[in-house]
Amino acid sequence: MSKKLSISSIKKRKGQEPLVMITAYDALFATLLSESADMLLVGDSLNMSFAGKNDTISATLEQMIYHVNAVCAGAPKSFVVADMPFGTYIDRELALQNAIKMFQQTQADCVKIEGGADKASIIEHLTQNGIAVCGHIGLLPQSVRSEGGYKVKGKTEHERKQLIKDALAVEKAGAFCMVIEGVKADVAKEVAESVLVPVIGIGAGKDVDGQVLVFSDMLGLFEAFTPKFVKKYMDGASLVREAVATYADEVKIKEFPSEIHTY
Ligand code: KIV
């Protein structure tokens, strides 16, 4: 990437060339991923693929700040979205206090908040106080325990109307873009057409303004489970296994280190 995207250039991509967003949790991968992605998302999904937990609920603000700093260091020219973890934005003041901490202690360009109309007042409070917000509607991973699992949205007329209400409320509150997750493709299309800001999909079909994937899913590194919407662009797990097995074999037979790797 030559130049960091600005919020206005991201907004201008509405209905134009789809935005490419991908998660990143560390400097090494951020450097690599930033070469092709428009935006890097330090998602609280790191609690699963990086920290090995069952869901995102136990991610902490401190943990997120640590990873956002690593990603910003690895990809200083990338637009970085920092996920606000569960419990850090339950009311306007707490949300602002924690988002300020994120902004002051990292170089994040915006924060991401899960929720629709119910979170509009919080999003408004942040945006009015200088914190750019990316919304997140549809399937909300931070609600997985209260909802009893990951449930695709937009299957009923009630859900369809609610998703449109959510998108409009998030936009009105000042979010400059939003993620829409786990939503029937026709409904996601309608949602995207209902707002003027870019709607970036994950498991929401192609008729939106961009796509986001979790990097460890799309590189085939995360094997615990694979949602239907994940395309594995490489079999990372097999490549890593093969490479490490070869290294182990070579160490055991003293083929490594050879002359060229010896001082
Ligand atoms: O935490 C995350 O990685 C996310 C994506 C699934 C959008 O929120």
Side-chain angles (χ1 to χ4, degrees), residues 23 41 43-45 83 112 136 179 181 202 212 214:
T23 67
L41 165 64
D44 57 1
S45 53
D83 235 350
K112 180 165 78 57
H136 184 153
V179 165
E181 178 166 2
I202 174 162
V212 52
V214 171

Side-chain angles (χ1 to χ4, degrees), residues 234-261:
M234 67 182 236
D235 184 0
S238 297
L239 290 175
V240 170
R241 267 192 204 104
E242 275 163 36
V244 179
T246 306
Y247 165 64
D249 289 345
E250 290 188 2
V251 168
K252 285 174 195 157
I253 59 171
K254 290 196 167 233
E255 192 174 312
F256 177 83
S258 62
E259 262 317 279
I260 57 161
H261 298 113

